[in-house]
Amino acid sequence: MLRSSLIYLAKAVAFGLVMAAVFIVFTRFVADPNGGLLQFNSGSELSFSSAVRKAAPAVVNIYSLSINQEQPLNSSKLQGLGSGVIMSKQGYIITNYHVINKADEIVVALQDGRKFSADVVGLDPETDLAVLKIEGDNLPVVPVNLKHAPRVGDVVLAIGNPYNLGQTITQGIISATGRSGLSSRYLDFLQTDAAINAGNSGGALIDTTGSLIGINTAAYQLTNDDKAGHGINFAIPIELAYKVMGKLIKDGRVIRGALGISGEPVNQVIAQILNLPDLKGIFITSLDSGGPAFRAGLRPRDVIIKYQHEDVTGVDMLMDRIAETKPGTKVDVQIIRDGKTLDIPVVMGEKPVRYN
């Protein structure tokens, strides 16, 4: 009886020791919802240092120089400061268009102290993106995971060079998410409360695994001054930035299709006035005179219900499909006009690029 009790007690003690060891190990590493591990230091304090070490070396400082043409020999001056992200060993760097716009010379500084003169590969004002290229060996490259979709509430880190203070990390969460189509507008962006100050533009927004999820681009301000923000900052989703980068490397610009229409979603009032069967489609409010839709015979008050045989579910969806269609392509646009369904072929035009 005594022996059985001792054996039972020994087993209980052994089990307790094993569980204590497991608990000690577990408290040092906590699973991250993004697929990584959040490490705690010996003081049980949360740290993102591992993620920063992976991404930060690939975030560069960009110095945009402007030369006064009236005094070209002695009037070189810093026009603006910003950040960029090295995306490949070949030296391709993503940054913001507004960071390098109108710069006569661009200097890229790495965190290891190296400096390079950069060439402009391509510019896309519509998404506020630009691609630069530098020539160098052993360039650090940021980790990218295009398969992971950021979610509201995810912890994120913004890396950049605010106010030319040197590389700085700020932390926050994803406040809202958008889309990733080529008809990009502010609503397409990731919204975060991680601070994005002047100079952070073009820098990296990373998740807790160190993977790039966005390119920092703007902070919302109530006034025209650059005082403290309001926790409303924006980053271009990496899926969109990566897509634009590929097009800029290939063509030097983003070639977008254009239909030459403006429209709004069908609501109950429009559906009742036009006697539509449901609330699907886009109500055409205006046409560009001489544009592709105008030449094909589309009219204001037509309702587009299909584009290339795909149901039109909203303005954003239609604008993305139009932008992604190669100019010169003949597309089928299905509309409702005066209660009748019509299929109208339209030859796509090209949306002009407007550089500021």
Side-chain angles (χ1 to χ4, degrees):
M1 184 73 171
L2 178 61
R3 183 180 178 183
S4 299
S5 298
L6 290 174
I7 292 174
Y8 177 81
L9 181 61
K11 288 182 178 179
V13 171
F15 179 77
L17 290 174
V18 171
M19 292 304 297
V22 171
F23 178 76
I24 291 172
V25 173
F26 180 75
T27 54
R28 295 197 60 185
F29 294 92
V30 177
D32 174 23
N34 290 327
L37 291 176
L38 304 182
Q39 185 173 355
F40 290 80
N41 63 22
S42 58
S44 297
E45 296 176 354
L46 183 63
S47 173
F48 300 108
S49 61
S50 177
V52 172
R53 285 197 302 271
K54 292 178 183 178
V59 181
V60 301
N61 299 342
I62 295 179
Y63 300 88
S64 303
L65 301 177
S66 181
I67 299 174
N68 187 334
Q69 298 301 324
E70 296 179 359
Q71 297 178 319
L73 297 180
N74 57 5
S75 61
S76 239
K77 66 178 182 179
L78 198 65
Q79 182 189 26
L81 296 170
S83 306
V85 184
I86 301 177
M87 301 296 293
S88 73
K89 289 292 186 182
Q90 291 73 35
Y92 288 109
I93 296 172
I94 288 184
T95 185
N96 282 146
Y97 168 75
H98 75 260
V99 169
I100 64 167
N101 183 29
K102 299 180 181 178
D104 296 305
E105 182 181 353
I106 300 169
V107 177
V108 171
L110 274 62
Q111 302 309 311
D112 60 14
R114 288 184 289 173
K115 293 182 175 64
F116 299 91
S117 178
D119 295 323
V120 177
V121 174
L123 306 169
D124 187 45
E126 183 127 347
T127 53
D128 193 23
L129 286 171
V131 174
L132 309 176
K133 193 174 190 300
I134 59 175
E135 299 292 341
D137 298 325
N138 300 317
L139 296 174
V141 177
V142 70
V144 176
N145 182 5
L146 296 176
K147 295 182 179 180
H148 174 68
R151 299 166 299 180
V152 173
D154 284 352
V155 174
V156 292
L157 307 170
I159 308 176
N161 179 29
Y163 304 108
N164 200 28
L165 294 174
Q167 191 174 88
T168 302
I169 318 295
T170 56
Q171 179 260 330
I173 64 168
I174 295 292
S175 307
T177 59
R179 301 175 301 104
S180 58
L182 289 180
S183 64
S184 178
R185 294 183 297 275
Y186 245 22
L187 292 179
D188 305 334
F189 294 171
L190 298 173
Q191 182 184 324
T192 176
D193 62 351
I196 298 177
N197 298 304
N200 273 105
S201 294
L205 188 72
I206 65 171
D207 62 20
T208 53
T209 70
S211 293
L212 183 68
I213 64 170
I215 302 297
N216 302 327
T217 189
Y220 176 77
Q221 300 289 347
L222 290 178
T223 61
N224 293 327
D225 60 29
D226 59 353
K227 295 179 182 178
H230 303 275
I232 304 176
N233 306 299
F234 297 97
I236 302 165
I238 186 55
E239 184 181 354
L240 172 58
Y242 202 84
K243 186 186 300 183
V244 170
M245 180 182 72
K247 292 178 179 294
L248 291 178
I249 292 173
K250 179 183 177 182
D251 301 313
R253 60 193 175 94
V254 178
I255 300 173
R256 293 180 172 86
L259 200 59
I261 65 167
S262 296
E264 61 185 54
V266 173
N267 55 37
Q268 291 182 346
V269 175
I270 293 174
Q272 185 174 3
I273 293 175
L274 299 181
N275 195 26
L276 300 176
D278 49 45
L279 301 181
K280 296 179 181 178
I282 300 303
F283 177 72
I284 297 178
T285 56
S286 64
L287 298 168
D288 294 343
S289 178
F294 179 88
R295 293 195 302 269
L298 269 69
R299 306 173 188 169
R301 296 174 61 88
D302 286 345
V303 176
I304 300 177
I305 57 174
K306 288 189 178 183
Y307 180 85
Q308 285 292 70
H309 312 290
E310 181 181 5
D311 289 340
V312 174
T313 57
V315 174
D316 293 335
M317 171 267 181
L318 179 60
M319 292 300 106
D320 283 346
R321 298 296 184 272
I322 291 171
E324 292 163 0
T325 303
K326 183 179 179 180
T329 303
K330 181 181 286 188
V331 299
D332 183 75
V333 178
Q334 189 174 90
I335 66 169
I336 295 178
R337 177 188 295 166
D338 299 328
K340 298 179 181 178
T341 300
L342 303 174
D343 290 300
I344 298 182
V346 182
V347 178
M348 294 297 295
E350 180 177 345
K351 186 173 184 178
V353 179
R354 294 182 173 87
Y355 301 101
N356 298 327

